Amino acid sequence: MKDKVITRIIKIAGFSSIIIVLMIFYFLLKEGLPTLGEVALSDLFTTRWYPIEDYFGILPLFSGSLLVTFISIAIALPFGIGTAVYIAEIAPARVKEILKPLIEILAGIPSVVLGFIGIVFLSPTLRETFNLPTGLTAFTGALLLALISVPTIVSVAEDALNAVPQSYREASYALGVTRWQTIWQVTLPAARSGVITAVMLGISRTLGETMAVMMVTGNAPTMLQGIQSIFKPTRTMTATIASEMGEVASGSTHYHVLFFIGIVLFLFSLIINIISSHFSEKNRKEKEQVV
Amino acid sequence: MSNSKISIRNYSLRYSDGVQALKNVSLEIHANAINVLFGPSGGGKSSLLRSINRLIDLADVDETSGQILFNGVNILDKEMPVSQLRRKIGMVFSRPIPLPKSIFENVAFGLRVAGENDPAVLHSKVEEALKQAYLWEEVYDRLDDPGISISGGQQQRLCLARVLALEPEVIMLDEPTSALDPVTTARIESFLQEIKDRITVIIAPHNMSQSARVADYATFFLQGELIEVGAGSKLFVNPQDQRTQDYVEGRFG
Amino acid sequence: MSNQSSHTATQVRKAKDGIGYTLIHIISFFTLLPVLGIIFYIVANGAPTITWDFLTSMPTDGMRAGGILPAIVGTLYLTIGTAVFSVPLGVAAGIYLAEYAPQNIWTRFIRIAIISLAGIPSVVYGLFGLGMFVLFLKLGNSILAASLTLSIMTLPTIISTTEEALRVVPERFRVVCASLGASKWQGIRKIILPEAMPGILTGVILGLERAAGETAPILFTGATFFLPHLPSSPLDATMALPYHIFVISTQVPGMPLQIQFGSVLVLLVFVLVMNLSATTIRTRARRNRQW
């Protein structure tokens, strides 16, 4: 009897995540969809974001997010994968025991703390080094975001590398292939799906990050204008929501548009995560075949 | 012939992966006797044991058919209270599996989940069970140590005590001595001879010599089929079926 | 002749390997340098600010002097509030997935939902919290609304780690429990759950650590710029350390640096202590495991 009640409760809890996702989707739609009645699509997809005068062009925010994410992943990728390879394939056990907790600590540092470091240390340093008018640039944000996504990339990629059967490596050594070549030509390709998952999750993390970017990218919703935009202020979708939502009247057009941007972010993350889970599942299946 | 404790009638079992573990098996388990199931591994002995106490509920089973009557009740019935059934039909596994608890709590576990919470009752029943399994003398001064802290042979006797504490009507042992030394094996065999007057024993030994030593009744299983049944050592000395003879003489398996 | 050329080839290969190894070492070093650098930098600059007064008094002079008590208390409240909602629900859902869920289409939906939840940007959780808890349920800008928002963000972490922790408990214990007459729930509660507890606890702490450091989800659900007194009910808004750091480092002109560093240090210690206790629980449990 008591068993039945508890089993019922546990089952309901199990289904809660579906209900929550639906609720999130519902509330985002409820507050965001009115945008489409208030702002013409042709106005929405323009290059001017200036809500005070009712310019709701979201393209600059879009390009800001893409720019920052792109630079950030370009930086995080070699460091993340390199560190994962080091931990999984090269580092002696003692070093591993120090490195892994450090990576976890990095993952635990709140983004607002990284943003603070960005303001007091990183952006002045960059301004002086590159002789820029301001240190609050897309590049500054991307550097901080790289720090945020590296732990994700490292831990997921490391798991994938560890899952590659030892026999692969041994077979390769037996053929006279060096350890270094084995890593690049055998182990990494075998862990391919997992490494892709790691990168996708890193992108998802970067695209969704808010505070650090908002604090150091200078908050200027301007369009991408070639390579020099990297060292100019910019504004991401997340930062726009975070910095403007506090000041808008609920129910206003501006308010609806901010929720609309939220829907776009939600869908982006949904797509990336479902694709990457597809890859990680593929990884698992490949492993099972080996076993 | 003594009376039947468990009556298996036309019982078949198929797992979800398509393996037909048992095919139309009919067998009487005799009360107050040692009933031996033997044959090559994968022959269906374990599946039969796990059917009798409904442990197969935990596995991926596709379909069962037939009946298993225990004291005249079909235990395959969906309405069967399985917890009570499993208290009456205890089971010892091929490897000793102490729960991650103290020696005392390992033995008390079955009593506690049956609702017994009186410390005095628990203590006396645990002591009694450990004495029956000839383990009390070796562990009485360290009942609070973890169950895994004792030797493998002691652990298997602990598992036996754990079952005995529930005062079962039947004890099933699935290759109980496969991981044990000869001394402990001999102790467990003589113990089974002692208790068979009050507890029905079903055992699937891991080798032929043990089967021949302990059997009051023996049944030979091959690839899910019951091949032959016989009393005492008849099956080992004078088998009727060619397949039984081949197996006993070591021509396969 | 051929002997000599193969000798040269080996040398080239060895040299390549050497460069590769050096590169990997450098990359790993530069990944981890920031972790230690950040911690050292914050501790060195923040430590002089930390006095008993700083921790236990109210801010004065427009937050430019005095202590940060309300922010510390607020973060404690939010963390506890998050635990109250997310731990029971998340652990129960994890138990469902590990022990009860059949392999069918609904379970697949649940898993997709959890993957989706894990990827949603924190600022989108903020939007959802605003739409659902603050406005729809009329909880207002409050500790309750912010805690609920953070709970939902934390949920996927707790569910996944609980499931994982339960799955590593060997199946044979479940079989033995059942064979001794325990019902499924009795076996889970008396044996399986206690054995999985350290793993679950680790996940819970890591989830709460993230919640404690988050800013974006509480921006428009419960955090407030300044409060002249401590919150007295769950329906009060509250100051919180991460938001406070954001405010004093970007919104208040003439903010003394030592107060900024001091506040950052307090938050950093807060999350590092949680991080360290999680790691310690995990290591100790692995050592004491009886299986």
Side-chain angles (χ1 to χ4, degrees):
Chain A
M1 185 55 216
K2 196 179 141 204
D3 256 59
K4 273 199 177 137
V5 175
I6 287 165
T7 310
R8 174 79 39 93
I9 292 172
I10 285 175
K11 188 168 179 181
I12 293 170
F15 277 84
S16 65
S17 46
I18 294 183
I19 298 162
I20 289 170
V21 171
L22 292 178
M23 281 197 318
I24 292 176
F25 203 44
Y26 170 76
F27 277 98
L28 291 180
L29 288 180
K30 175 171 174 263
E31 308 287 338
L33 275 191
T35 304
L36 299 178
E38 292 158 11
V39 186
L41 269 183
S42 54
D43 289 337
L44 210 51
F45 292 100
T46 56
T47 59
R48 187 145 184 230
W49 176 264
Y50 200 63
I52 298 169
E53 291 178 9
D54 283 344
Y55 289 103
F56 294 110
I58 60 170
L59 290 182
L61 316 176
F62 209 74
S63 78
S65 280
L66 285 184
L67 174 69
V68 174
T69 305
F70 184 77
I71 313 169
S72 169
I73 288 297
I75 299 166
L77 199 59
F79 285 98
I81 302 292
T83 308
V85 166
Y86 181 67
I87 293 179
E89 304 290 320
I90 299 170
R94 273 217 351 258
V95 179
K96 230 185 261 191
E97 272 167 37
I98 301 169
L99 291 189
K100 291 186 75 166
L102 274 179
I103 295 279
E104 259 176 56
I105 286 176
L106 181 58
I109 296 179
S111 72
V112 75
V113 171
L114 293 174
F116 175 76
I117 299 279
I119 291 177
V120 296
F121 175 77
L122 193 59
S123 83
T125 310
L126 287 174
R127 191 184 61 225
E128 282 158 30
T129 317
F130 296 102
N131 201 14
L132 301 168
T134 170
L136 301 174
T137 66
F139 185 68
T140 322
L143 275 180
L144 291 182
L145 285 175
L147 278 180
I148 289 170
S149 62
V150 155
T152 309
I153 298 179
V154 172
S155 67
V156 179
E158 193 217 330
D159 284 346
L161 289 168
N162 284 334
V164 175
Q166 196 57 33
S167 57
Y168 280 30
R169 300 183 185 92
E170 280 158 9
S172 172
Y173 300 150
L175 293 170
V177 181
T178 64
R179 223 170 121 193
W180 176 251
Q181 285 173 314
T182 303
I183 289 171
W184 288 106
Q185 288 165 16
V186 178
T187 318
L188 267 176
R192 183 175 61 241
S193 309
V195 173
I196 295 173
T197 308
V199 176
M200 307 261 315
L201 291 178
I203 292 174
S204 164
R205 194 88 178 73
T206 311
L207 200 61
E209 182 44 54
T210 311
M211 296 315 287
V213 209
M214 172 157 81
M215 289 162 84
V216 302
T217 49
N219 272 327
T222 51
M223 273 311 281
L224 196 59
Q225 287 151 340
I227 194 85
Q228 68 269 30
S229 290
I230 292 176
F231 290 105
K232 282 187 178 161
T234 187
R235 169 81 90 67
T236 64
M237 295 191 278
T238 51
T240 306
I241 297 173
S243 60
E244 293 177 9
M245 186 51 94
E247 289 147 25
V248 301
S250 72
S252 66
T253 302
H254 189 183
Y255 170 91
H256 290 145
V257 175
L258 291 178
F259 266 93
F260 185 80
I261 299 171
I263 296 175
V264 175
L265 277 169
F266 176 76
L267 291 179
F268 261 126
S269 70
L270 217 59
I271 291 166
I272 295 177
N273 277 277
I274 287 174
I275 293 176
S276 67
S277 82
H278 167 78
F279 273 111
S280 69
E281 199 145 298
K282 212 173 135 200
N283 189 36
R284 200 164 51 228
K285 282 198 182 125
E286 281 164 10
K287 251 191 317 188
E288 278 165 8
Q289 276 172 6
V290 170
V291 175
Chain B
M1 244 195 155
S2 57
N3 56 331
S4 165
K5 184 75 185 171
I6 297 169
S7 178
I8 298 152
R9 294 181 184 167
N10 307 106
Y11 180 66
S12 298
L13 165 68
R14 192 173 66 231
Y15 290 113
S16 303
D17 57 9
V19 173
Q20 184 78 41
L22 291 164
K23 298 169 200 160
N24 202 24
V25 170
S26 293
L27 172 68
E28 301 296 324
I29 300 293
H30 300 273
N32 308 323
I34 297 181
N35 299 264
V36 164
L37 315 179
F38 76 105
S41 59
K45 299 165 291 175
S46 286
S47 292
L48 185 60
L49 292 181
R50 282 167 173 73
S51 297
I52 293 171
N53 67 357
R54 288 275 299 269
L55 267 189
I56 42 152
D57 290 11
L58 274 64
D60 279 334
V61 172
D62 187 33
E63 193 184 16
T64 62
S65 63
Q67 286 188 321
I68 298 178
L69 302 178
F70 170 59
N71 294 338
V73 181
N74 183 14
I75 61 103
L76 294 176
D77 194 329
K78 287 238 179 306
E79 303 297 310
M80 181 78 206
V82 288
S83 290
Q84 270 134 307
L85 174 74
R86 289 170 187 157
R87 278 174 209 128
K88 288 184 193 146
I89 306 181
M91 180 143 182
V92 176
F93 299 88
S94 56
R95 272 197 307 151
I97 310 172
L99 292 170
K101 297 222 158 213
S102 69
I103 294 171
F104 181 89
E105 287 302 329
N106 258 283
V107 184
F109 180 83
L111 298 164
R112 284 193 194 277
V113 297
E116 182 59 71
N117 283 316
D118 184 343
V121 176
L122 283 173
H123 265 96
S124 72
K125 287 199 172 183
V126 168
E127 179 175 342
E128 175 60 27
L130 285 168
K131 279 181 175 161
Q132 280 187 56
Y134 298 107
L135 192 57
W136 177 254
E137 292 298 319
E138 293 161 51
V139 300
Y140 70 93
D141 55 348
R142 47 183 172 134
L143 292 175
D144 291 330
D145 287 5
I148 54 150
S149 66
I150 51 181
S151 76
Q154 290 173 322
Q155 285 181 27
Q156 194 62 315
R157 279 179 283 148
L158 177 66
C159 294
L160 203 54
R162 196 164 64 178
V163 169
L164 291 169
L166 293 169
E167 295 163 20
E169 296 174 30
V170 179
I171 289 186
M172 305 194 291
L173 306 98
D174 189 3
E175 306 191 350
T177 60
S178 61
L180 300 184
D181 59 282
V183 178
T184 317
T185 302
R187 275 175 104 164
I188 287 182
E189 283 176 15
S190 64
F191 167 77
L192 295 178
Q193 299 292 351
E194 278 171 42
I195 60 162
K196 73 176 184 189
D197 293 337
R198 38 191 190 91
I199 305 175
T200 302
V201 175
I202 312 174
I203 180 169
H206 69 285
N207 62 26
M208 192 94 57
S209 57
Q210 185 170 55
S211 302
R213 273 199 305 275
V214 300
D216 292 322
Y217 298 91
T219 311
F220 178 58
F221 280 90
L222 185 65
Q223 291 172 350
E225 275 178 88
L226 189 158
I227 305 296
E228 194 174 353
V229 188
S233 58
K234 181 171 159 281
L235 244 54
F236 307 96
V237 187
N238 183 22
Q240 300 300 305
D241 194 288
Q242 185 60 40
R243 288 167 292 183
T244 315
Q245 190 171 350
D246 287 349
Y247 182 71
V248 170
E249 289 173 3
R251 272 182 229 150
F252 64 86
Chain C
M1 180 54 190
S2 77
N3 205 356
Q4 202 182 1
S5 80
S6 92
H7 187 69
T8 326
T10 312
Q11 271 184 333
V12 169
R13 220 166 52 181
K14 272 199 175 148
K16 264 192 182 169
D17 275 25
I19 295 169
Y21 274 126
T22 316
L23 203 66
I24 287 276
H25 277 98
I26 292 173
I27 279 181
S28 307
F29 177 74
F30 275 105
T31 308
L32 295 158
L33 185 67
V35 190
L36 299 173
I38 288 167
I39 292 172
F40 178 78
Y41 183 66
I42 299 289
V43 171
N45 287 290
T49 315
I50 308 295
T51 59
W52 185 245
D53 240 27
F54 183 71
L55 299 176
T56 58
S57 58
M58 303 295 289
T60 55
D61 194 18
M63 301 194 282
R64 288 181 192 84
I68 54 166
L69 179 68
I72 296 175
V73 171
T75 287
L76 279 177
Y77 283 167
L78 288 175
T79 311
I80 295 166
T82 305
V84 166
F85 297 112
S86 66
V87 174
L89 187 58
V91 170
I95 294 175
Y96 177 73
L97 282 177
E99 306 288 337
Y100 290 94
Q103 286 200 353
N104 62 17
I105 186 84
W106 284 107
T107 306
R108 262 194 80 74
F109 278 143
I110 293 175
R111 292 193 188 283
I112 291 173
I114 291 168
I115 290 164
S116 311
L117 280 177
I120 294 177
S122 55
V123 73
V124 174
Y125 278 112
L127 288 179
F128 165 66
L130 172 66
M132 168 137 181
F133 301 124
V134 176
L135 299 175
F136 182 73
L137 295 180
K138 299 194 169 58
L139 298 176
N141 211 29
S142 63
I143 294 177
L144 187 58
S147 299
L148 284 165
T149 309
L150 289 171
S151 306
I152 287 182
M153 186 195 76
T154 314
L155 214 47
T157 310
I158 297 184
I159 295 175
S160 308
T161 46
T162 301
E163 187 191 352
E164 191 56 35
L166 288 164
R167 282 196 188 282
V168 297
V169 179
E171 184 62 22
R172 57 179 188 273
F173 290 152
R174 295 177 182 84
V175 175
V176 166
C177 285
S179 80
L180 292 170
S183 68
K184 184 161 187 164
W185 172 244
Q186 282 176 323
I188 293 170
R189 186 170 57 90
K190 288 184 182 271
I191 302 292
I192 312 300
L193 208 49
E195 289 304 302
M197 203 41 94
I200 295 174
L201 217 52
T202 307
V204 164
I205 295 173
L206 290 177
L208 293 178
E209 175 195 349
R210 182 167 166 225
E214 271 290 0
T215 318
I218 62 172
L219 276 177
F220 9 92
T221 56
T224 186
F225 199 81
F226 176 69
L227 207 63
H229 53 84
L230 295 179
S232 56
S233 109
L235 290 174
D236 284 353
T238 182
M239 289 174 74
L241 274 172
Y243 183 57
H244 185 66
I245 290 166
F246 169 67
V247 166
I248 62 178
S249 63
T250 60
Q251 316 277 302
V252 184
M255 193 71 209
L257 257 183
Q258 71 265 26
I259 287 191
Q260 300 186 33
F261 272 109
S263 309
V264 172
L265 179 57
V266 173
L267 177 62
L268 199 61
V269 168
F270 198 88
V271 297
L272 285 186
V273 165
M274 290 177 87
N275 196 303
L276 217 65
S277 47
T279 322
T280 313
I281 289 171
R282 187 171 46 200
T283 341
R284 190 167 296 172
R286 277 197 190 143
R287 214 178 322 130
N288 294 344
R289 219 176 243 182
Q290 298 186 17
W291 30 275

